[in-house]
Amino acid sequence: MLPEARLLNRGIGPEPETLDPQLARTTQSHIALRDLFEGLVSYSAEGVLVAAAASRWKISADGLRYKFWLRPEGRWSNGETVVARDFVYSFRRLVDPETAAFYAETLNSVVNAAEITAGNKPPEALGVEATSRFELEITLREPTPYFLSLLAQAATYPVREATVVEFGEQFARAGKLVSNGAYRLAKWEIGLAITLIRNEQYWNNKNTAIDVVRHHVTVEPSVELFRYRAGELDVTSTIPSEAFARIRDERPAELRVSAFLGTYYYGLNLNYPPLGDNPELRQALSMAIDREALTASVTGRGEQPAYSWIPPGVQNYESPVLSYATLSTEKRNAAAKRLYTEAGYNEANPLQIQLRYNTSETHKNIALAIQAMWRHTLGFEAELINEEFRVLVTNMRAMKITQIFRSSWNGDYNDAYAFLAMFESDNPSNMFGYSNEDYDLQLKRAAKQTNPARRRLYLEEAERVLLADLPVIPIYYHVSKHLVSPSVRGWQDNVLDYHYSQHLSFD
Amino acid sequence: MQQRGALRFALTRLLSAIPTLFLIIVLAFMMMRAAPGGPFDEERAIPPETAANIERAYHLDESLPRQFRRYFGGLLRGDLGPSYRYPGYSVAELIGGAMRYSLQLGALAMLSALILGVGAGVLAAVRKRSLLDRMVTGLAMTGISIPIFVIAPLFLLVFAVYLGWLPASWGDSESGLRYVLPVIALALPQVAYVTRMTRASMIEVMNSDFIRTARAQGLSTFTIVRRHALRPAMVPLLSYMGPAVAAVLTGSVVVEQIFGIPGLGQLFVRSALNRDYTLVLGIVIFYATLVIVFNLLVDIAYGFLDPRIRRQ
Amino acid sequence: MSTFAALGQLGRQLGGSRVVVITTSALVVIALIAIVGPLFSPYTYLDSNLDVRLLPPTMDATRYFGTDDLGRDLFVRTLMGVRITLAVAIVATLVSLVIGVVYGAIAGYAGGKVDAVMMRLVDTLYALPFIFFVILLMVFFERNFLLIFVAIGAVNWLDMARIVRGQTLSLKEREFVEAARLIGVSPTRIIFRHITPNLMSVVVVYVTLTVPQAILIESFMSFLGLGIQEPQTSLGSLVNNGVRHTEGAPWMLFIPASILAFILMCFNFLGDGLRDQLDPKERSG
């Protein structure tokens, strides 16, 4: 008697845009890709870095040379063996300017990667070599302590060269795509769902419990919740804030809320007044925000107030904390008012400033709440400007009209540097006009440091400088929130919010 | 004789639609490009080299007139271009896929609206001022006074979540049941309009001389309606069909979002927000062509239904 | 006679209809309450008090309609919603009215080539997906309250223009217009002094149909996140917000939704009543 195929229905959120690992740009694409492919390394269900396509590796003492031994039993979904050359091809494809890969910079620490992407060297010059059928060697420009975790990222997933050559840009479609992960692509109905079925050839297939995974496109969180309640989904991608309290009361066992490596913040443009050259004002604005009330009432899903920039949970790191974290609300507000006056503002001369956020219920509610807090504590009326996402992004980059703008930063990998890089003076993600020599220096020192304990000190010092200058106002640390059906087993909370379907099962 | 006239009429209209279409394409192209933000702007900034590579791959580094010529050249070859958002997928294929759902949904909604609306309208007109009439009129009034985005989620909540009678979304199964809620939500305002229109038109026709003559001849109401009154009463309804189709497409944006249907309305909104230039333009062209053709059909039908107009 | 005198005569004629009087009075009363009502409440639409979120309607503490998810008073906000919704609808309708009447009258009166070209433009604009137009406009340009009126008005004038043109075409042949032309009155004067007043009945009816349309369009834009911007609000915006709280705080949906439906019904009944009074041919029964 054949057992019924075990089918897992997951809500994925907004639509993924592609299943080509090197071209993928969005979180949603990465979720689907994680089930389809496997990188050299991967994460366990608990969020620990483990061997995957590679069975073991060796790192040289100077941190510049990595050698990987591939698993000889690794297979593509068409039965062919996964070999080192596949990874060489895929890494070159990632940095190749012709590919126009969005995350080409993932491999920037590899020798020649940046030059290739800039078009100054051919892809063959990349510091990656297949020294034998199953041996791969990677050479870096400078020691990058978090390099291994980069190799778990979707951008570095291998693609089969013959498939790409044969089908060109259509290779990532159902019926053509060849993958090396736990599942293969059965169907992609745009706007509806991606259907994955078990990859029998996968080297670890015997440990895969779920036969079919459907990632459903769920654009509206409230509708996703309806579908979950109606039994159509086993796992949701998020939980709408207005329903959170009720769910906590009615279905506490199905609620999975976990710390997440992401900070919700208000960015400040330091290029001109009123925020440039006025650190007192920036601190005042930060102090006057009642983060506890905000996270308790407005977002109310277990988010943690942020008094540092980097969220807790980063390995080998402890953030310095803003001095007013421990003050009572009254004392903090009073201190804020004092700083505000010191900054040159008062009732006769209130601050005039614009706060931009992109269209979303959450952002709107937070902005309204903070506007009210500033009105109440400091006595000025911030002007709220709701912009469509891409308009806001354009304005943030241009740095010409923004003053305060809402944003979030998520760590791609579990390392403090993922959060600190963007404040370096020459970083393209620096949308704040922030430039501090001391800060840059600390980061440069950290980059050259192979001793983790000493590296940590430099990074923490950098964050201390950052918190003193406050080019951003951290507001709260994100949480990942899901509803997981009681029949699903194997779901483990982790700070990266990676949940591979191959770790899940039904009881 | 009339056949040739109709054919010439149709051809002239189609030909004169071409400059209209061209104007629309140019307008839409300019509007899309005037918008701040591009298809590859994500929250994460990318290094300038990567950005340059992406722009080159999609010809975004060329001058606007050059890009337009490239796009238009493709159009002339019948190629709507590749989607900027979904690599490996062509605009034509994405529109085709979405159109399947929108067409099914829209046709079902319009059909039910017409059948129900005309039926209710005729009944109400024939039994003017009766209880039935008042009820029908009242319901119709409600139908146009409550927005779709209130009705749809409420239906969803009651019928799918609370009662569990119907699927909560489109993607769950292939069953026909998943059509029920979206079609009802989409059809409701249309039923209301059609009912009101039919009723009004029917009443007017029933008051006309030739109906009175028929009645004096002793024909039953049913026969009168079926044989004499119905056809002329439908004429004003025709002129409503054009805007009705447009309204259904509009309403579909809401319904599609709420029920998770990957239809054309949803596709358009998403592609506008994603700045998927080619997809947006493709949908605009598609829609415009649809409207033009549809209006043409309506005008021809007018000619058939009402000989007086044909002579103009 | 002048346009104003025509309107005056119209008013007297309409005063005879019960439906017209009742619905107009209802709308006026609602508008007045919306303007004066906030004086009876100690709260403003801005006051956000996170300690009193999601309160159901109650008589104590004067939270007549309860509070929303940010602790703001819903009585005051709903009244603001009524004000803004009515304002948007009326102004947008006026915009489309002015553009449509002028455009249609000129086209109809000029006739011939000019008429053909002008109507061709209307046809072109008709074939542009209206809602797509609105979305494009709003998505691309900075959220501007004024732009909402312009967007709605700019899209709605097409129907008005068509109808006015049709009416003008038939009016053109009437004797008094012929007479004016023979005397040598300038076309502009003919259009504004003779033709426009006679359009009033058609126009008035159409206006009452356009207003509900404009209201629904504004609500639709709020649904897409493109309507009136916080912290201001409209009925459509309130309703959209309320839908998400249907289970947790149903008053957030039902109060503004009922008011919205009532206003729409008033306008629709008013339109019906006006048509009965003014255009016996188009009687709705």
PDB file of all heavy atoms in Angstrom, chain A residues 299-318:
ATOM      1  N   THR A 299       3.490  47.522  17.732  1.00  0.00           N
ATOM      2  CA  THR A 299       3.860  46.349  16.946  1.00  0.00           C
ATOM      3  C   THR A 299       3.386  45.091  17.652  1.00  0.00           C
ATOM      4  O   THR A 299       2.801  44.210  17.047  1.00  0.00           O
ATOM      5  CB  THR A 299       5.372  46.281  16.704  1.00  0.00           C
ATOM      6  OG1 THR A 299       6.035  46.299  17.962  1.00  0.00           O
ATOM      7  CG2 THR A 299       5.829  47.454  15.887  1.00  0.00           C
ATOM      8  N   GLY A 300       3.650  45.019  18.960  1.00  0.00           N
ATOM      9  CA  GLY A 300       3.055  44.007  19.826  1.00  0.00           C
ATOM     10  C   GLY A 300       3.258  42.562  19.433  1.00  0.00           C
ATOM     11  O   GLY A 300       2.439  41.711  19.733  1.00  0.00           O
ATOM     12  N   ARG A 301       4.377  42.265  18.748  1.00  0.00           N
ATOM     13  CA  ARG A 301       4.565  40.862  18.383  1.00  0.00           C
ATOM     14  C   ARG A 301       5.819  40.290  19.016  1.00  0.00           C
ATOM     15  O   ARG A 301       6.384  39.330  18.548  1.00  0.00           O
ATOM     16  CB  ARG A 301       4.650  40.732  16.860  1.00  0.00           C
ATOM     17  CG  ARG A 301       3.324  40.994  16.192  1.00  0.00           C
ATOM     18  CD  ARG A 301       3.453  41.029  14.709  1.00  0.00           C
ATOM     19  NE  ARG A 301       4.195  42.194  14.251  1.00  0.00           N
ATOM     20  CZ  ARG A 301       4.244  42.577  12.983  1.00  0.00           C
ATOM     21  NH1 ARG A 301       3.611  41.895  12.066  1.00  0.00           N
ATOM     22  NH2 ARG A 301       4.951  43.628  12.635  1.00  0.00           N
ATOM     23  N   GLY A 302       6.239  40.900  20.089  1.00  0.00           N
ATOM     24  CA  GLY A 302       7.410  40.357  20.760  1.00  0.00           C
ATOM     25  C   GLY A 302       8.706  41.014  20.340  1.00  0.00           C
ATOM     26  O   GLY A 302       9.780  40.535  20.689  1.00  0.00           O
ATOM     27  N   GLU A 303       8.599  42.118  19.586  1.00  0.00           N
ATOM     28  CA  GLU A 303       9.837  42.794  19.214  1.00  0.00           C
ATOM     29  C   GLU A 303      10.516  43.360  20.464  1.00  0.00           C
ATOM     30  O   GLU A 303       9.859  43.679  21.437  1.00  0.00           O
ATOM     31  CB  GLU A 303       9.543  43.950  18.242  1.00  0.00           C
ATOM     32  CG  GLU A 303       9.088  43.518  16.852  1.00  0.00           C
ATOM     33  CD  GLU A 303       7.592  43.309  16.745  1.00  0.00           C
ATOM     34  OE1 GLU A 303       6.924  43.398  17.798  1.00  0.00           O
ATOM     35  OE2 GLU A 303       7.096  43.067  15.646  1.00  0.00           O
ATOM     36  N   GLN A 304      11.827  43.456  20.396  1.00  0.00           N
ATOM     37  CA  GLN A 304      12.576  43.990  21.522  1.00  0.00           C
ATOM     38  C   GLN A 304      13.008  45.424  21.250  1.00  0.00           C
ATOM     39  O   GLN A 304      13.492  45.726  20.172  1.00  0.00           O
ATOM     40  CB  GLN A 304      13.836  43.139  21.762  1.00  0.00           C
ATOM     41  CG  GLN A 304      13.546  41.753  22.278  1.00  0.00           C
ATOM     42  CD  GLN A 304      12.767  41.811  23.584  1.00  0.00           C
ATOM     43  OE1 GLN A 304      13.173  42.476  24.533  1.00  0.00           O
ATOM     44  NE2 GLN A 304      11.637  41.145  23.611  1.00  0.00           N
ATOM     45  N   PRO A 305      12.848  46.300  22.256  1.00  0.00           N
ATOM     46  CA  PRO A 305      13.339  47.675  22.090  1.00  0.00           C
ATOM     47  C   PRO A 305      14.839  47.657  21.801  1.00  0.00           C
ATOM     48  O   PRO A 305      15.565  46.841  22.368  1.00  0.00           O
ATOM     49  CB  PRO A 305      13.078  48.331  23.444  1.00  0.00           C
ATOM     50  CG  PRO A 305      12.104  47.465  24.124  1.00  0.00           C
ATOM     51  CD  PRO A 305      12.247  46.089  23.581  1.00  0.00           C
ATOM     52  N   ALA A 306      15.276  48.539  20.923  1.00  0.00           N
ATOM     53  CA  ALA A 306      16.675  48.538  20.519  1.00  0.00           C
ATOM     54  C   ALA A 306      17.407  49.719  21.125  1.00  0.00           C
ATOM     55  O   ALA A 306      17.099  50.870  20.825  1.00  0.00           O
ATOM     56  CB  ALA A 306      16.773  48.588  19.005  1.00  0.00           C
ATOM     57  N   TYR A 307      18.369  49.411  22.004  1.00  0.00           N
ATOM     58  CA  TYR A 307      19.215  50.476  22.542  1.00  0.00           C
ATOM     59  C   TYR A 307      20.640  50.326  22.059  1.00  0.00           C
ATOM     60  O   TYR A 307      21.560  50.952  22.573  1.00  0.00           O
ATOM     61  CB  TYR A 307      19.151  50.487  24.069  1.00  0.00           C
ATOM     62  CG  TYR A 307      17.819  51.015  24.568  1.00  0.00           C
ATOM     63  CD1 TYR A 307      16.843  50.168  25.055  1.00  0.00           C
ATOM     64  CD2 TYR A 307      17.542  52.384  24.505  1.00  0.00           C
ATOM     65  CE1 TYR A 307      15.622  50.657  25.479  1.00  0.00           C
ATOM     66  CE2 TYR A 307      16.319  52.881  24.930  1.00  0.00           C
ATOM     67  CZ  TYR A 307      15.356  52.009  25.419  1.00  0.00           C
ATOM     68  OH  TYR A 307      14.149  52.492  25.832  1.00  0.00           O
ATOM     69  N   SER A 308      20.830  49.424  21.109  1.00  0.00           N
ATOM     70  CA  SER A 308      22.110  49.328  20.414  1.00  0.00           C
ATOM     71  C   SER A 308      21.779  49.237  18.952  1.00  0.00           C
ATOM     72  O   SER A 308      20.603  49.160  18.573  1.00  0.00           O
ATOM     73  CB  SER A 308      22.881  48.076  20.830  1.00  0.00           C
ATOM     74  OG  SER A 308      22.911  47.940  22.201  1.00  0.00           O
ATOM     75  N   TRP A 309      22.795  49.163  18.147  1.00  0.00           N
ATOM     76  CA  TRP A 309      22.534  49.044  16.727  1.00  0.00           C
ATOM     77  C   TRP A 309      22.417  47.577  16.329  1.00  0.00           C
ATOM     78  O   TRP A 309      21.510  47.177  15.629  1.00  0.00           O
ATOM     79  CB  TRP A 309      23.653  49.730  15.932  1.00  0.00           C
ATOM     80  CG  TRP A 309      23.625  49.458  14.467  1.00  0.00           C
ATOM     81  CD1 TRP A 309      24.613  48.879  13.735  1.00  0.00           C
ATOM     82  CD2 TRP A 309      22.554  49.719  13.548  1.00  0.00           C
ATOM     83  NE1 TRP A 309      24.233  48.766  12.417  1.00  0.00           N
ATOM     84  CE2 TRP A 309      22.967  49.271  12.284  1.00  0.00           C
ATOM     85  CE3 TRP A 309      21.287  50.292  13.667  1.00  0.00           C
ATOM     86  CZ2 TRP A 309      22.176  49.373  11.143  1.00  0.00           C
ATOM     87  CZ3 TRP A 309      20.492  50.391  12.538  1.00  0.00           C
ATOM     88  CH2 TRP A 309      20.934  49.942  11.288  1.00  0.00           C
ATOM     89  N   ILE A 310      23.350  46.751  16.819  1.00  0.00           N
ATOM     90  CA  ILE A 310      23.372  45.354  16.401  1.00  0.00           C
ATOM     91  C   ILE A 310      22.486  44.522  17.327  1.00  0.00           C
ATOM     92  O   ILE A 310      22.598  44.629  18.547  1.00  0.00           O
ATOM     93  CB  ILE A 310      24.816  44.815  16.423  1.00  0.00           C
ATOM     94  CG1 ILE A 310      25.673  45.679  15.503  1.00  0.00           C
ATOM     95  CG2 ILE A 310      24.863  43.371  15.975  1.00  0.00           C
ATOM     96  CD1 ILE A 310      27.096  45.193  15.365  1.00  0.00           C
ATOM     97  N   PRO A 311      21.614  43.685  16.749  1.00  0.00           N
ATOM     98  CA  PRO A 311      20.707  42.901  17.589  1.00  0.00           C
ATOM     99  C   PRO A 311      21.478  41.839  18.376  1.00  0.00           C
ATOM    100  O   PRO A 311      22.564  41.416  17.959  1.00  0.00           O
ATOM    101  CB  PRO A 311      19.772  42.226  16.585  1.00  0.00           C
ATOM    102  CG  PRO A 311      20.150  42.706  15.248  1.00  0.00           C
ATOM    103  CD  PRO A 311      21.426  43.427  15.316  1.00  0.00           C
ATOM    104  N   PRO A 312      20.893  41.377  19.486  1.00  0.00           N
ATOM    105  CA  PRO A 312      21.521  40.289  20.228  1.00  0.00           C
ATOM    106  C   PRO A 312      21.430  39.004  19.423  1.00  0.00           C
ATOM    107  O   PRO A 312      20.547  38.850  18.588  1.00  0.00           O
ATOM    108  CB  PRO A 312      20.668  40.194  21.500  1.00  0.00           C
ATOM    109  CG  PRO A 312      19.360  40.790  21.126  1.00  0.00           C
ATOM    110  CD  PRO A 312      19.638  41.825  20.078  1.00  0.00           C
ATOM    111  N   GLY A 313      22.339  38.078  19.666  1.00  0.00           N
ATOM    112  CA  GLY A 313      22.310  36.816  18.942  1.00  0.00           C
ATOM    113  C   GLY A 313      23.418  36.689  17.931  1.00  0.00           C
ATOM    114  O   GLY A 313      23.575  35.641  17.311  1.00  0.00           O
ATOM    115  N   VAL A 314      24.190  37.749  17.741  1.00  0.00           N
ATOM    116  CA  VAL A 314      25.325  37.659  16.835  1.00  0.00           C
ATOM    117  C   VAL A 314      26.447  36.915  17.539  1.00  0.00           C
ATOM    118  O   VAL A 314      26.762  37.209  18.689  1.00  0.00           O
ATOM    119  CB  VAL A 314      25.795  39.067  16.423  1.00  0.00           C
ATOM    120  CG1 VAL A 314      27.070  38.986  15.607  1.00  0.00           C
ATOM    121  CG2 VAL A 314      24.701  39.771  15.649  1.00  0.00           C
ATOM    122  N   GLN A 315      27.040  35.959  16.838  1.00  0.00           N
ATOM    123  CA  GLN A 315      28.046  35.126  17.467  1.00  0.00           C
ATOM    124  C   GLN A 315      29.284  35.965  17.835  1.00  0.00           C
ATOM    125  O   GLN A 315      29.657  36.888  17.107  1.00  0.00           O
ATOM    126  CB  GLN A 315      28.418  33.958  16.546  1.00  0.00           C
ATOM    127  CG  GLN A 315      28.832  34.376  15.144  1.00  0.00           C
ATOM    128  CD  GLN A 315      30.304  34.574  14.982  1.00  0.00           C
ATOM    129  OE1 GLN A 315      31.088  34.068  15.784  1.00  0.00           O
ATOM    130  NE2 GLN A 315      30.675  35.313  13.971  1.00  0.00           N
ATOM    131  N   ASN A 316      29.854  35.639  18.952  1.00  0.00           N
ATOM    132  CA  ASN A 316      31.093  36.263  19.400  1.00  0.00           C
ATOM    133  C   ASN A 316      30.998  37.793  19.419  1.00  0.00           C
ATOM    134  O   ASN A 316      31.831  38.500  18.879  1.00  0.00           O
ATOM    135  CB  ASN A 316      32.265  35.843  18.472  1.00  0.00           C
ATOM    136  CG  ASN A 316      33.593  36.308  19.024  1.00  0.00           C
ATOM    137  OD1 ASN A 316      33.773  36.415  20.251  1.00  0.00           O
ATOM    138  ND2 ASN A 316      34.517  36.627  18.145  1.00  0.00           N
ATOM    139  N   TYR A 317      29.950  38.296  20.050  1.00  0.00           N
ATOM    140  CA  TYR A 317      29.813  39.748  20.041  1.00  0.00           C
ATOM    141  C   TYR A 317      28.862  40.193  21.137  1.00  0.00           C
ATOM    142  O   TYR A 317      27.866  39.550  21.420  1.00  0.00           O
ATOM    143  CB  TYR A 317      29.264  40.207  18.685  1.00  0.00           C
ATOM    144  CG  TYR A 317      29.322  41.696  18.496  1.00  0.00           C
ATOM    145  CD1 TYR A 317      30.499  42.317  18.086  1.00  0.00           C
ATOM    146  CD2 TYR A 317      28.213  42.487  18.767  1.00  0.00           C
ATOM    147  CE1 TYR A 317      30.562  43.686  17.936  1.00  0.00           C
ATOM    148  CE2 TYR A 317      28.282  43.855  18.620  1.00  0.00           C
ATOM    149  CZ  TYR A 317      29.456  44.452  18.204  1.00  0.00           C
ATOM    150  OH  TYR A 317      29.517  45.814  18.056  1.00  0.00           O
ATOM    151  N   GLU A 318      29.175  41.347  21.737  1.00  0.00           N
ATOM    152  CA  GLU A 318      28.216  41.945  22.657  1.00  0.00           C
ATOM    153  C   GLU A 318      28.162  43.438  22.425  1.00  0.00           C
ATOM    154  O   GLU A 318      29.172  44.136  22.555  1.00  0.00           O
ATOM    155  CB  GLU A 318      28.588  41.649  24.097  1.00  0.00           C
ATOM    156  CG  GLU A 318      27.444  42.008  25.038  1.00  0.00           C
ATOM    157  CD  GLU A 318      27.665  41.433  26.421  1.00  0.00           C
ATOM    158  OE1 GLU A 318      28.288  40.356  26.487  1.00  0.00           O
ATOM    159  OE2 GLU A 318      27.227  42.063  27.388  1.00  0.00           O
TER     160      GLU A 318
END
